[in-house]
Amino acid sequence: MEEFKWEDRIPSARELRGGFENADDILSRIMGSDSSSIGSDLLHDTLLAKSVNSKRIKRSDATRIVSVTNQKGGVGKTTTTVNVATSFAAEGIPVLVIDLDPQANTSSSLGVRQRGKGIYEVMTGQAGMQEVVRESPIFPSLEVAPSSIDLSAIELEMAGEPQREAVLKKCLFSYLERSGKKYEYVFIDCAPSLGLLVLNALTASREVLIPVQVEYYALEGLNQLLRTINLVRLNFNPDLKNVMMILNMVDRRTILSRKICEAVREAYPSLVLSSSIPRLVRVAEAAAAGESLTSFDPSSPAAVAYRQACIEIAERL
Ligand code: ATP
Ligand code: MG
């Protein structure tokens, strides 16, 4: 009997020429439509990453000032600010992040801890913005105005002052004019409240980005927030026009998560970005390591989702 030789069964390079499958074909064949949900998730993520990473982010001629706000705690304001800002900065787009939350998580995630003066001193007239803005070690085109716990006292301190809602606006606008810095984006990370600090952020902004956590009570509080934004627009800041929502912590595999996304999109069809951020442990791991996803794991599906959101935000005006 003829001896079985496995080497003979391997097709030669000539036989294979023109017949090689590329990585996408192999994934589509293995993970195709009738495969497991993990398989189709992997296929979806791979194809999305390829398409998102091949696109360029549109540049902005003017400085777009965006408050990232939601009075609900823990919905992803800081995570959104950090990862949207770093996704823009990774492209070389000049970005300033103002940390307007006394918890100062944004400052530390961007590698800038307040040493000496910060945004509290700026808003109380003890320092100019140019004295506190520091370059982030993550990307050279990213700068941060850090905060510290001192900021928690400012609402009481400013309570009796005239035009107390416009303090940040004055400081920021005079800094932008005097420094000659050509930031394309200024993101302001807000604390979970609708107090004077948030009012200052909204008065200084032309746009708002609202992270919406995809959970059972997702819609609760959104109307109140939109009413507040509208009151600010009518009373203090007619330039506050572009309102965007971004769905965060989406779990593609649960029906509840899908239904909540649909309900939010149905309630605010023109406001909700079509890109959404998946709930992934990698996001929390990056935050725990005090880093942005863009630097911690740029290939993570959540980092890809943030880049996709940036492409969309850049096109939105
Ligand atoms: P606060 O109201 O206290 O300022 P926040 O709205 O800024 O909170 P984050 O601090 O960004 O919310 O997020 C709250 C927690 O949820 C953090 O531990 C963060 O790592 C985690 N988180 C945010 N987005 C995601 C996500 N897409 N997947 C997994 N974890 C997430
Ligand atoms: Mg926060």
Side-chain angles (χ1 to χ4, degrees):
M1 203 171 87
E2 199 188 331
E3 195 190 342
F4 173 79
K5 280 205 194 140
W6 64 268
E7 307 94 287
D8 295 341
R9 306 292 167 105
I10 301 175
S12 68
R14 185 185 303 211
E15 283 170 307
L16 277 174
R17 193 166 298 142
F20 271 123
E21 284 179 298
N22 65 27
D24 292 347
D25 293 340
I26 295 171
L27 268 174
S28 302
R29 179 167 51 73
I30 302 173
M31 308 297 191
S33 53
D34 57 347
S35 64
S36 67
S37 65
I38 294 178
S40 55
D41 278 0
L42 184 59
L43 177 63
H44 169 272
D45 292 343
T46 309
L47 297 179
L48 183 66
K50 208 172 162 197
S51 121
V52 167
N53 291 333
S54 68
K55 288 190 187 131
R56 301 216 49 86
I57 301 179
K58 189 177 152 206
R59 304 296 296 254
S60 170
D61 296 331
T63 302
R64 292 178 58 179
I65 306 174
V66 186
S67 279
V68 182
T69 191
N70 188 334
Q71 76 275 24
K72 259 198 213 179
V75 297
K77 294 178 287 295
T78 297
T79 309
T80 303
T81 307
V82 166
N83 291 301
V84 168
T86 48
S87 298
F88 277 119
E91 203 95 344
I93 294 174
V95 177
L96 170 66
V97 171
I98 299 176
D99 191 350
L100 213 59
D101 186 346
Q103 296 177 97
N105 295 334
T106 305
S107 312
S108 45
S109 290
L110 296 175
V112 176
R113 279 185 196 282
Q114 182 181 326
R115 275 187 265 110
K117 294 171 179 169
I119 200 73
Y120 169 80
E121 283 75 14
V122 172
M123 291 183 69
T124 50
Q126 300 170 61
M129 189 85 108
Q130 71 285 354
E131 289 173 65
V132 309
V133 168
R134 304 233 316 268
E135 194 177 287
S136 161
I138 305 175
F139 296 110
S141 59
L142 179 61
E143 298 189 343
V144 184
S147 79
S148 72
I149 192 70
D150 296 346
L151 194 62
S152 55
I154 205 165
E155 298 207 342
L156 277 178
E157 288 176 26
M158 291 193 334
E161 285 184 22
Q163 290 203 310
R164 53 191 175 277
E165 77 288 343
V167 175
L168 181 67
K169 180 177 187 169
K170 281 187 202 140
C171 301
L172 175 61
F173 280 38
S174 102
Y175 166 70
L176 292 175
E177 200 178 298
R178 286 192 200 165
S179 68
K181 297 254 187 175
K182 295 272 179 281
Y183 299 111
E184 289 183 35
Y185 290 88
V186 176
F187 289 103
I188 308 173
D189 182 29
C190 296
S193 82
L194 282 178
L196 191 52
L197 273 174
V198 176
L199 183 57
N200 264 272
L202 294 175
T203 305
S205 300
R206 299 191 180 102
E207 303 177 56
V208 188
L209 179 59
I210 304 171
V212 178
Q213 181 178 350
V214 176
E215 44 137 16
Y216 189 70
Y217 297 108
L219 285 166
E220 203 178 65
L222 285 179
N223 270 337
Q224 189 195 357
L225 177 56
L226 291 175
R227 262 200 307 275
T228 306
I229 293 168
N230 199 33
L231 280 176
V232 174
R233 187 177 65 79
L234 294 172
N235 291 293
F236 304 118
N237 181 12
D239 296 330
L240 186 61
K241 287 199 176 124
N242 185 25
V243 178
M244 300 170 278
M245 292 184 184
I246 181 162
L247 296 167
N248 184 30
M249 304 196 215
V250 177
D251 188 344
R252 274 201 308 258
R253 274 173 278 178
T254 71
I255 294 169
L256 179 65
S257 184
R258 244 178 284 149
K259 288 213 157 131
I260 293 166
C261 291
E262 275 166 27
V264 181
R265 288 188 190 286
E266 206 175 302
Y268 307 104
S270 58
L271 306 189
V272 185
L273 297 181
S274 42
S275 337
S276 58
I277 311 302
R279 177 192 282 278
L280 286 177
V281 73
R282 212 73 184 126
V283 178
E285 282 172 356
E291 278 193 50
S292 74
L293 261 174
T294 323
S295 54
F296 186 74
D297 184 2
S299 63
S300 144
V304 172
Y306 279 114
R307 191 170 191 281
Q308 190 184 26
C310 288
I311 294 170
E312 206 181 337
I313 291 168
E315 306 273 345
R316 269 245 164 179
L317 214 60

